[in-house]
Amino acid sequence: MAKREQRLRGVSASELKEKLRELVKSIVDSDDYTLEAADEAIATLSSLKHLKSPIPDDFPLPPQFRCPISTQLMSDPVILSTGQTYDRPFIQRWLNEGHRTCPQTQQVLSHTILTPNYLVRDMILLWCRDRGIDLPNPAKDLDEVVTNADRNHLNSLLRKLQLSVPDQKEAAKELRLLTKRMPSIRTLVGESSDTIPLLLSPLAAASTDPDLHEDLITTVLNLSIHDDNKKSFAEDPALISLLIDALKCGTIQTRSNAAAAIFTLSAIDSNKHIIGESGAIKHLLELLDEGQPLAMKDAASAIFNLCLVHENKGRTVRDGAVRVILNKMMDHILVDELLAILALLSSHPKAVEEMGDFDAVPLLLGVIRESTSERSKENCVAILYTICFSDRTKLKEIREEEKANGTLTKLAKCGTSRAKRKANGILERLNRSPSLTHTA
């Protein structure tokens, strides 16, 4: 049987189906079919199964490699805004159907940007390589097939953007809708280097209609979702400059979508460096500081992504991030998201110094006491660990908290493994300094 299956490997699905159809027909129509014919039918069916799923039955698939929707091995894993990982074609279909919740957690999505999960993809590739399995090619989304009609329609809209303001507004509004609904249009943009200059040309005017500005910046956001566009977009100085201008002025939706575009472009590490050098972080912090609910989360998401590279941490601290973040946290705004940024920044000495100056310790201890988020508690105690090992005078505040509430002792028993480790580290330092007093 194995030899038969091996012989059939490499045969196309259509040929296998035709062969199977003939074999089954001969078996069904004949009262005296041979065992060889049955074995051949079984081998053909097995080969068809292999085309659908190349994972042999005797290789149990790790659950973290399965798409929660298809339950099959993921070929293009992506991360949803809730942090869950799915195979791109299946979660994209879910979103295209109008769903705005996570299929697993049922959480409402803060945005619908899909970020490639390179870590999981590399783990899957390694797992397949070790077992001699070919990873299936990513499923081609039929919505991404570009037709001549799509190409002609896009070109007509780009030409319209060069006409009067009413024509520009009409074209920009349609482009905004098309680039949101049609992946094929997002794919098409990368075919020509002239597309982006033509798209953005109306923004070169001394003053731009607010609605036109919003529609064009939102179109850039929609286009930036397509992975093949990310690198070229970030390497276009004019485009990045216009996104920064949009962060500073325009409708709140325009500013929010500019921040969201920066977030999705920063999915690529090389883009993080380019965007950091552009000066965008300062304006993202200003948007966060202003406190417009619609824009704050997009700004925070972009800042977090940019701070994943070391050079941008220093820029973010110098631009005043610690003060802005602590003020928002005191107002109970985006606490979980901002703690994640603060935890990244805590590896920078200046950030740790400023946290001490801005009295962050009581705030962090309060979050550990009151929050129901294990991740937030973990981030808080990790930051506290860095602070108290940098400035021993802060240990007095922590000691008083322990006497009053036993906050770290409780966390050392019930937190995540990392939270327990950090909490125990602080408690050990407290125990080594029993007579600690606050000194200047």
Side-chain angles (χ1 to χ4, degrees), residues 68-139:
I69 298 175
S70 71
T71 72
Q72 300 300 312
L73 178 68
M74 292 186 284
S75 58
D76 189 10
V78 293
I79 304 169
L80 202 56
S81 66
T82 56
Q84 309 297 320
T85 295
Y86 298 87
D87 207 4
R88 183 186 295 277
F90 297 96
I91 189 60
Q92 189 64 64
R93 183 187 303 162
W94 170 268
L95 297 173
N96 290 347
E97 289 170 356
H99 300 288
R100 288 300 176 263
T101 57
C102 172
Q104 277 188 292
T105 67
Q106 300 305 309
Q107 286 177 264
V108 175
L109 303 179
S110 58
H111 57 76
T112 57
I113 296 168
L114 302 177
T115 305
N117 193 331
Y118 294 115
L119 175 61
V120 169
R121 178 164 173 78
D122 287 345
M123 290 169 64
I124 291 172
L125 285 171
L126 182 61
W127 185 86
C128 289
R129 191 180 301 123
D130 288 346
R131 289 156 181 79
I133 299 167
D134 293 327
L135 181 67
N137 291 325

Side-chain angles (χ1 to χ4, degrees), residues 244-415:
I244 292 174
D245 288 343
L247 289 174
K248 296 187 283 186
C249 61
T251 67
I252 193 60
Q253 187 69 64
T254 300
R255 300 174 72 196
S256 178
N257 287 349
I262 289 173
F263 165 74
T264 188
L265 291 176
S266 64
I268 298 176
D269 282 348
S270 60
N271 289 358
K272 292 180 176 71
H273 292 281
I274 294 170
I275 295 167
E277 291 169 0
S278 73
I281 293 172
K282 174 185 175 182
H283 303 293
L284 289 167
L285 286 167
E286 288 172 354
L287 192 57
L288 178 63
D289 195 22
E290 287 179 20
Q292 289 281 356
L294 184 64
M296 282 192 295
K297 191 152 191 175
D298 286 319
S301 297
I303 293 166
F304 176 84
N305 249 15
L306 293 170
C307 286
L308 291 172
V309 298
H310 179 72
E311 293 82 356
N312 286 339
K313 294 179 185 179
R315 295 183 178 108
T316 305
V317 174
R318 287 192 296 274
D319 287 334
V322 173
R323 175 191 60 80
V324 172
I325 288 172
L326 292 177
N327 284 343
K328 293 300 172 190
M329 287 177 58
M330 288 176 189
D331 292 335
H332 306 287
I333 295 171
L334 295 179
V335 172
D336 294 348
E337 292 86 348
L338 296 180
L339 272 172
I341 299 173
L342 208 59
L344 286 176
L345 297 181
S346 66
S347 64
H348 194 282
K350 181 65 175 174
V352 177
E353 180 185 331
E354 289 187 5
M355 287 182 217
D357 294 342
F358 290 123
D359 216 18
V361 171
L363 175 63
L364 296 170
L365 289 167
V367 173
I368 295 175
R369 276 198 318 271
E370 298 166 10
S371 177
T372 58
S373 167
E374 293 301 322
R375 177 57 59 85
S376 288
K377 292 178 183 181
E378 179 184 305
N379 281 330
C380 279
V381 74
I383 297 166
L384 284 170
Y385 182 89
T386 303
I387 291 174
C388 74
F389 274 75
S390 173
D391 181 0
R392 67 188 302 272
T393 65
K394 300 301 178 186
L395 285 169
K396 183 182 179 186
E397 295 175 70
I398 297 174
R399 180 182 297 283
E400 290 170 353
E401 172 70 23
E402 278 306 291
K403 287 180 179 177
N405 300 300
T407 301
L408 293 180
T409 301
K410 294 173 184 174
L411 188 62
K413 293 178 181 177
C414 304

Side-chain angles (χ1 to χ4, degrees), residues 189-209:
V189 165
E191 287 190 359
S192 170
S193 58
D194 295 332
T195 303
I196 290 302
L198 290 171
L199 175 68
L200 300 178
S201 59
L203 299 181
S207 62
T208 305
D209 179 272

Side-chain angles (χ1 to χ4, degrees), residues 18-241:
E18 183 60 35
K19 182 178 180 64
L20 182 62
R21 188 179 296 111
E22 292 173 1
L23 286 166
V24 170
K25 186 175 187 303
S26 68
I27 292 169
V28 171
D29 291 346
S30 172
D31 293 331
D32 189 26
Y33 64 87
T34 65
L35 288 176
E36 186 179 4
D39 286 341
E40 188 73 12
I42 293 169
T44 306
L45 188 60
S46 179
S47 296
L48 267 174
K49 177 186 175 184
H50 179 80
L51 285 178
K52 275 290 184 184
S53 176
I55 310 301
D57 293 335
D58 55 348
F59 284 153
L61 184 61
Q64 65 269 29
F65 295 169
R66 292 182 185 275
C67 173
I69 298 175
S70 71
T71 72
Q72 300 300 312
L73 178 68
M74 292 186 284
S75 58
D76 189 10
V78 293
I79 304 169
L80 202 56
S81 66
T82 56
Q84 309 297 320
T85 295
Y86 298 87
D87 207 4
R88 183 186 295 277
F90 297 96
I91 189 60
Q92 189 64 64
R93 183 187 303 162
W94 170 268
L95 297 173
N96 290 347
E97 289 170 356
H99 300 288
R100 288 300 176 263
T101 57
C102 172
Q104 277 188 292
T105 67
Q106 300 305 309
Q107 286 177 264
V108 175
L109 303 179
S110 58
H111 57 76
T112 57
I113 296 168
L114 302 177
T115 305
N117 193 331
Y118 294 115
L119 175 61
V120 169
R121 178 164 173 78
D122 287 345
M123 290 169 64
I124 291 172
L125 285 171
L126 182 61
W127 185 86
C128 289
R129 191 180 301 123
D130 288 346
R131 289 156 181 79
I133 299 167
D134 293 327
L135 181 67
N137 291 325
K140 179 69 175 177
D141 191 334
L142 293 178
D143 289 338
E144 294 189 7
V145 175
V146 177
T147 66
N148 286 331
D150 293 333
R151 191 173 285 105
N152 293 336
H153 189 37
L154 175 62
N155 289 335
S156 71
L157 291 173
L158 291 173
R159 286 194 295 271
K160 205 169 183 179
L161 284 175
Q162 316 311 310
L163 304 177
S164 65
V165 171
D167 286 326
Q168 290 175 353
K169 290 177 70 174
E170 185 178 333
K173 189 165 291 297
E174 186 168 355
L175 280 165
R176 176 177 180 169
L177 293 173
L178 284 176
T179 53
K180 178 180 180 181
R181 295 174 181 170
M182 294 182 62
S184 60
I185 297 294
R186 298 199 288 268
T187 303
L188 189 55
V189 165
E191 287 190 359
S192 170
S193 58
D194 295 332
T195 303
I196 290 302
L198 290 171
L199 175 68
L200 300 178
S201 59
L203 299 181
S207 62
T208 305
D209 179 272
D211 292 336
L212 174 61
H213 191 199
E214 180 181 317
D215 286 337
L216 289 176
I217 292 298
T218 307
T219 299
V220 171
L221 165 61
N222 295 340
L223 292 171
S224 69
I225 293 170
H226 188 64
D227 286 344
D228 291 346
N229 293 335
K230 294 185 192 303
K231 195 169 188 298
S232 60
F233 277 27
E235 291 175 352
D236 185 335
L239 187 148
I240 296 298
S241 177

